[in-house]
């Protein structure tokens, strides 16, 4: 039986609440009409992922996002009246677009579409988290503005106070904070089988934070990974190939379904010289989502490397796979 580990982020403080529940905690998948598939992204007619060995393709994708005008939140709800309201459709679309942006770079299918039923429920979750001023995947009955839809959203979503829209997705991928060392938010956003997500938002008012609720568990949550870009079947962040510096967050990760990282190690070099690093998490439970991962924090002085593209050689060794103990090597090239 596979388990789900759920996570929450709070603004700049970024704290984590996590626990495991059996899959029966998820509502049986409803038969719903999906919203239209996301528009074609700039990098690919097939809309699966970007070829990160192509420097110009990566730059084109990043620049296409940089040219996007951020949507306003336009929340129609009310904390005092416990009205969930809704946020602007454009902001929800941009939020899903940012999910697909990261998935494309990571080499997993950038085919996530908004499920309007998930979004409707996520909206109630966003209201109660903002009204209460704290995050929980098991909100107690004394949470402000809590109803059964908010309870369901809390159990199936990444939660954020202090960020909304695409900025919340950036936060989930960065996954900072001492208690977020397993980068579970990152892994759920990049989970290869996922095809549907939902988005809820509320605005800040008075001493209440704005909130984002990203429903991440669809009925594919326990499906096989299927085909992904990396032939060795791993998902890394930053991914193999070219990437721009602003997308290289302090925590690096390497994840593989059905592998174990209890005894795994990581080595990094630049220009043939080793990079000091600290492994901050290793997980080996193959019966849960997010999947097993190794996470490390390298000591990189990007200012000393400015002006030239820089290759970082990464080797993850001692990974227990179905084929035995294996090592994986790849290069991340940070664009100047």
């Amino acid at each position: 039986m596979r388990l789900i580990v759920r996570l929450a982020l709070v603004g700049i403080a970024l704290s984590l609440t996590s626990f495991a529940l059996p899959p029966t905690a998820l509502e049986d998948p409803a038969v719903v009409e999906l919203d239209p598939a996301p528009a074609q992204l700039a990098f690919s007619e097939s809309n699966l992922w970007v070829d990160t060995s192509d420097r110009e393709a990566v730059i084109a994708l990043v620049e296409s996002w940089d040219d996007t005008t951020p949507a306003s939140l336009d929340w129609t709800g009310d904390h005092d009246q416990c009205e969930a309201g809704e946020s602007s459709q454009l902001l929800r679309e941009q939020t899903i677009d940012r999910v697909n942006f990261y998935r494309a770079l990571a080499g997993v299918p950038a085919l996530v579409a908004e499920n309007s039923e998930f979004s409707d429920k996520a909206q109630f979750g966003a209201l109660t988290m903002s009204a209460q001023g704290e995050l929980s995947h098991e909100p107690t009955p004394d949470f402000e503005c809590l109803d059964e839809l908010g309870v369901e959203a809390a159990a199936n979503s990444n939660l954020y106070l202090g960020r909304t829209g695409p900025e919340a997705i950036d936060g989930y991928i960065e996954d900072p904070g001492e208690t977020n060392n397993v980068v579970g938010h990152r892994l759920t956003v990049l989970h290869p089988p996922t095809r549907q997500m939902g988005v809820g938002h509320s605005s800040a008012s008075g001493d209440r934070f704005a909130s984002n609720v990203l429903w991440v568990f669809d009925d594919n949550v326990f499906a096989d990974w299927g085909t992904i870009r990396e032939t060795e079947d791993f998902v890394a962040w930053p991914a193999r190939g070219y990437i721009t510096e602003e997308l290289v967050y302090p925590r690096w990760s390497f994840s593989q379904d059905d592998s174990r990282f209890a005894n795994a190690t990581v080595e990094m070099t630049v220009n043939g010289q080793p990079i000091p690093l600290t492994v901050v998490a290793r997980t080996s439970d193959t019966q849960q989502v997010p999947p097993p991962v190794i996470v490390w924090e390298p000591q990189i002085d990007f200012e000393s490397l400015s002006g030239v593209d820089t290759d970082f050689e990464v080797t993850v060794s001692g990974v227990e796979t179905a084929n035995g103990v294996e090592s994986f090597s790849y290069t991340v090239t940070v664009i100047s």
Side-chain angles (χ1 to χ4, degrees), residues 125-251:
L127 168 65
T128 193
M129 299 304 157
S130 180
Q132 182 68 18
E134 64 179 280
L135 302 177
S136 174
H137 295 290
E138 291 184 312
T140 55
D142 60 347
F143 262 57
E144 291 191 45
C145 302
L146 183 65
D147 64 8
E148 62 181 14
L149 297 180
V151 170
E152 189 177 359
N156 289 282
S157 305
N158 288 346
L159 312 173
Y160 217 130
L161 283 178
R163 288 192 186 188
T164 59
E167 288 187 351
I169 307 305
D170 293 342
Y172 294 138
I173 296 296
E174 181 178 3
D175 236 356
E178 292 183 1
T179 53
N180 293 321
N181 55 5
V182 297
V183 296
H185 305 95
R186 175 187 296 176
L187 296 179
T188 54
V189 172
L190 301 180
H191 192 47
T194 302
R195 294 295 181 272
Q196 304 171 43
M197 293 187 184
V199 181
H201 292 117
S202 69
S203 297
S205 67
D207 59 355
R208 296 181 172 108
F209 291 103
S211 65
N212 168 268
V213 170
L214 182 72
W215 187 298
V216 291
F217 297 134
D218 66 0
D219 58 347
N220 291 324
V221 64
F222 295 122
D224 292 337
W225 276 20
T227 301
I228 62 177
R229 185 184 62 214
E230 304 306 331
T231 57
E232 303 98 319
D233 292 328
F234 68 80
V235 176
W237 194 267
R240 168 188 273 152
Y242 287 99
I243 192 167
T244 56
E245 183 180 326
E246 70 269 18
L247 299 175
V248 180
Y249 299 115
R251 285 185 177 144

